[in-house]
Amino acid sequence: MKLNFDVLHMRPSFVSHGMYLELGRCHGIWGENGIGKTRYLTFLKQLQLINPRPTSRFWAFLDQAPYENYYDCTVFDLAEELFSLSHLPWKQKPKEQFLSILHQLNQQNMLHENYKRLSGGQRQILKWALILVQEFDFLFLDEPFQQLDEAKRDWACEQIQLQKQQGKGIALVDHNWPRLEVLCEQIFELKKIETTDEKLTFILKERKN
Amino acid sequence: MINENSLYIIMRAASCFFATALLTQSGSLTQFVAQNGLASPSTLGIGSLPLLSLLLFSILKLIFFPDWAGQIQEWPLMLLLYLLFTPLFLRLFRHSFVKFPILLGLGINLSIIGLYQLIQFIFIAENRPFPYDLYMGSFKQVDSNRFLFITIIFIVGQFWLTNLQRRLRPLLLGKEFAEGLGVNTNNLKFEVYLFTFLMAGAITFPFGLLNFLDLTLPHLIRALFPWSRKLKTELFLGTFFMAAFVTTLDMLCYFFPWKGAEFSLGLVSSCFGPLILVYLVWRKIDEKKYAI
């Protein structure tokens, strides 16, 4: 379970590791700031280490980076525009499901707001709503609870449990150890063990609950 | 029967409409994929690549055919030479440009303009005629060949865009969101840059450089038509309105010459384009109370 990061070329050079992602389970990734959790998650997504490999290979990714909107348009316009694209991996009736999620969270007012004027928390809710209307077998979540209030965090935890029950696999990066313990069947810790001029060596260690 | 002058005016207006529409569409596309209001074929360096081709053509002509009187039209030859750049473009843009478009574009623009001035100096020193026409775009030299060529390019361009805009729309919430939906954003960006590369050549060689139109017109569409704040409406409806406006400007240049000399559209766009852009940016700063 050793992973080398080629810092110079910003690429993880894979040696060997035993982290296999499984459907119906939640795998937590834990580690200090700047250790490379996001990069590792992206790496996993690229490799699609899903075991057993599903027939359809749809995955969804909720990342940390804020979404940009080049045009000044409302959330409703954005949703209409995106859900009209039938070639994207949306579930059945995505617009209705999207509106129902916002209604459930009492955030329907946000629909007529300009996207650029949304708060950080509202943007995170929008990310969640857009993720949940996608068809996927595997969900990659990079710090999905940031900027959410307590009630919304609980709602997000419920969604993760619900997705697991539906047989979806989840990889979750979070800094909150107790929450990881509740949500995940398996937690890996990313640790830096040595530094040389060009390479940093990391150890991915499974931590038992 | 349509007389020769009316036919010229129709061909000129149609060519201006088609070329301006393609330029505006190139600008809108590049701004959308780069998520940057400063991106356009002129700022990305793509707009100055035809100038490089013109320079090469002029040097080759000076070396190998110094006494060529120019019996045939030169622009198709320049366009052919430009198309030979495609492998270089593919190599340069495939990896570097999708990541750092504006910075590299600026570097390319400045180097080509520097080279242009150097070669212009050599031509003047050698007492040879230098092809200035291309530097200031104008539709006054329109003929049936140029008209037919730009019409075909316009039709092909619209078919390409109809398909491309649908694939581009997941980028509405940025690169990360689109990639989360399984979209290969680098390939899409590259396709947009290829579109602008081909369109820049197809417009510049027959009619010359029309500076700043590709940068300014998309901003003007967004300012004048707030309902067009969607990629599809901006690319088609908004663009056609703007193209009609620029065509009217070109007609004014034709019907109202200054002491017998006609203003070129390239000159008008070079003068007013940056001013309109400055006004729009100021207005935006005033509205939102922050700097862009």
Side-chain angles (χ1 to χ4, degrees):
Chain A
M1 288 199 281
K2 211 175 173 189
L3 198 69
N4 282 344
F5 276 88
D6 181 350
V7 171
L8 201 67
H9 298 99
M10 305 298 270
R11 257 184 227 137
S13 59
F14 179 72
V15 177
S16 74
H17 74 85
M19 185 177 174
Y20 269 85
L21 308 177
E22 285 179 46
L23 290 172
R25 294 184 84 191
C26 181
H27 309 266
I29 300 166
W30 197 74
E32 63 183 63
N33 286 334
I35 196 100
K37 298 185 294 298
T38 300
R39 197 169 303 160
Y40 183 68
L41 202 66
T42 315
F43 176 53
L44 285 180
K45 184 188 78 177
Q46 283 162 359
L47 287 177
Q48 297 199 24
L49 290 167
I50 302 166
N51 188 24
R53 193 170 271 272
T55 43
S56 57
R57 287 190 286 161
F58 284 130
W59 44 264
F61 196 90
L62 193 151
D63 49 11
Q64 273 192 69
Y67 294 152
E68 300 295 333
N69 174 226
Y70 186 63
Y71 295 111
D72 283 342
C73 51
T74 64
V75 172
F76 187 79
D77 286 342
L78 270 173
E80 278 221 311
E81 179 95 346
L82 288 169
F83 298 141
S84 68
L85 301 171
S86 54
H87 64 284
L88 297 179
W90 303 124
K91 284 180 180 170
Q92 293 284 317
K93 296 186 177 170
K95 195 174 151 190
E96 284 77 359
Q97 290 194 42
F98 175 79
L99 294 176
S100 127
I101 292 169
L102 292 190
H103 188 77
Q104 205 182 327
L105 292 167
N106 204 17
Q107 289 290 325
Q108 55 274 50
N109 291 346
M110 146 198 329
L111 280 171
H112 304 290
E113 281 277 339
N114 184 327
Y115 178 80
K116 286 183 177 168
R117 297 203 181 100
L118 295 184
S119 71
Q122 283 178 313
R123 287 185 188 207
Q124 190 71 359
I125 290 168
L126 188 66
K127 273 187 188 181
W128 266 101
L130 286 170
I131 283 287
L132 292 175
V133 295
Q134 288 174 35
E135 204 64 78
F136 57 83
D137 291 308
F138 219 90
L139 184 55
F140 294 89
L141 300 170
D142 190 1
E143 301 196 23
F145 307 104
Q146 59 176 352
Q147 292 178 303
L148 293 181
D149 61 38
E150 194 121 352
K152 307 282 186 314
R153 261 183 249 158
D154 291 344
W155 172 84
C157 289
E158 273 172 34
Q159 292 305 316
I160 291 175
Q161 299 283 21
L162 204 69
Q163 297 302 325
K164 270 198 303 185
Q165 283 166 19
Q166 289 172 3
K168 318 282 188 196
I170 293 163
L172 169 67
V173 168
D174 196 14
H175 286 289
N176 187 319
W177 182 262
R179 191 162 51 213
L180 279 177
E181 277 190 323
V182 172
L183 290 172
C184 305
E185 279 75 26
Q186 199 182 26
I187 305 171
F188 290 92
E189 186 183 357
L190 211 54
K191 256 187 176 175
K192 187 162 73 176
I193 55 164
E194 79 186 58
T195 311
T196 59
D197 281 349
E198 286 188 3
K199 281 189 176 179
L200 291 174
T201 304
F202 291 86
I203 252 187
L204 188 71
K205 201 169 81 177
E206 187 171 354
R207 274 175 71 151
K208 302 287 174 200
N209 290 350
Chain B
M1 281 293 286
I2 300 172
N3 65 30
E4 211 169 292
N5 193 40
S6 308
L7 191 67
Y8 169 79
I9 292 171
I10 292 169
M11 283 198 304
R12 178 168 169 161
S15 304
C16 179
F17 182 88
F18 295 153
T20 317
L22 287 169
L23 269 180
T24 313
Q25 286 167 335
S26 300
S28 278
L29 282 178
T30 42
Q31 286 174 12
F32 183 71
V33 294
Q35 300 267 308
N36 191 328
L38 277 177
S40 77
S42 357
T43 46
L44 289 177
I46 299 171
S48 49
L49 288 176
L51 210 58
L52 188 65
S53 172
L54 162 84
L55 291 176
L56 264 177
F57 182 82
S58 308
I59 294 167
L60 289 174
K61 210 174 90 173
L62 184 70
I63 296 170
F64 298 108
F65 310 100
D67 303 318
W68 189 6
Q71 258 99 38
I72 58 161
Q73 287 190 328
E74 290 179 353
W75 68 266
L77 298 174
M78 290 186 205
L79 183 64
L80 268 177
L81 188 67
Y82 177 71
L83 290 177
L84 291 179
F85 284 175
T86 314
L88 175 78
F89 170 86
L90 296 178
R91 191 167 173 76
L92 202 70
F93 277 68
R94 179 111 231 165
H95 301 294
S96 328
F97 258 81
V98 290
K99 286 183 182 152
F100 316 103
I102 308 274
L103 216 57
L104 276 174
L106 223 85
I108 290 194
N109 252 341
L110 293 174
S111 340
I112 293 176
I113 290 169
L115 199 68
Y116 180 86
Q117 285 168 343
L118 179 78
I119 292 173
Q120 191 182 0
F121 170 79
I122 295 171
F123 268 72
I124 293 167
E126 288 276 328
N127 209 12
R128 297 265 173 194
F130 189 72
Y132 291 104
D133 289 356
L134 208 67
Y135 200 63
M136 278 300 163
S138 168
F139 291 90
K140 60 183 164 198
Q141 68 271 41
V142 74
D143 52 24
S144 53
N145 289 342
R146 286 178 164 95
F147 169 68
L148 198 67
F149 175 75
I150 197 70
T151 307
I152 293 168
I153 293 291
F154 178 76
I155 294 167
V156 173
Q158 299 318 297
F159 276 113
W160 189 352
L161 269 185
T162 311
N163 176 282
L164 183 60
Q165 60 86 17
R166 194 174 154 72
R167 286 180 289 128
L168 275 175
R169 268 149 67 194
L171 276 162
L172 201 62
L173 274 176
K175 182 174 172 279
E176 276 76 19
F177 175 74
E179 282 177 356
L181 284 167
V183 174
N184 189 332
T185 55
N186 281 353
N187 278 0
L188 273 179
K189 275 186 185 181
F190 177 71
E191 193 178 332
V192 165
Y193 295 148
L194 186 65
F195 176 88
T196 56
F197 170 79
L198 294 175
M199 293 308 141
I203 296 162
T204 310
F205 292 111
F207 306 110
L209 268 180
L210 296 162
N211 286 315
F212 291 107
L213 282 181
D214 47 8
L215 179 67
T216 319
L217 292 183
H219 286 282
L220 213 54
I221 293 173
R222 274 167 237 146
L224 294 177
F225 314 114
W227 44 263
S228 77
R229 282 173 184 172
K230 280 183 177 175
L231 184 65
K232 196 178 171 183
T233 33
E234 182 177 312
L235 277 180
F236 298 103
L237 216 55
T239 292
F240 296 155
F241 265 112
M242 273 300 130
F245 166 71
V246 176
T247 307
T248 314
L249 258 178
D250 186 54
M251 285 294 110
L252 288 174
C253 292
Y254 173 67
F255 285 112
F256 300 100
W258 180 265
K259 291 184 180 173
E262 192 186 304
F263 282 112
S264 73
L265 190 65
L267 188 69
V268 176
S269 69
S270 293
C271 287
F272 293 106
L275 285 180
I276 293 172
L277 196 71
V278 167
Y279 167 70
L280 290 174
V281 173
W282 265 343
R283 213 180 68 152
K284 225 169 178 177
I285 292 170
D286 203 36
E287 265 174 21
K288 298 194 173 172
K289 311 274 183 252
Y290 61 79
I292 296 164

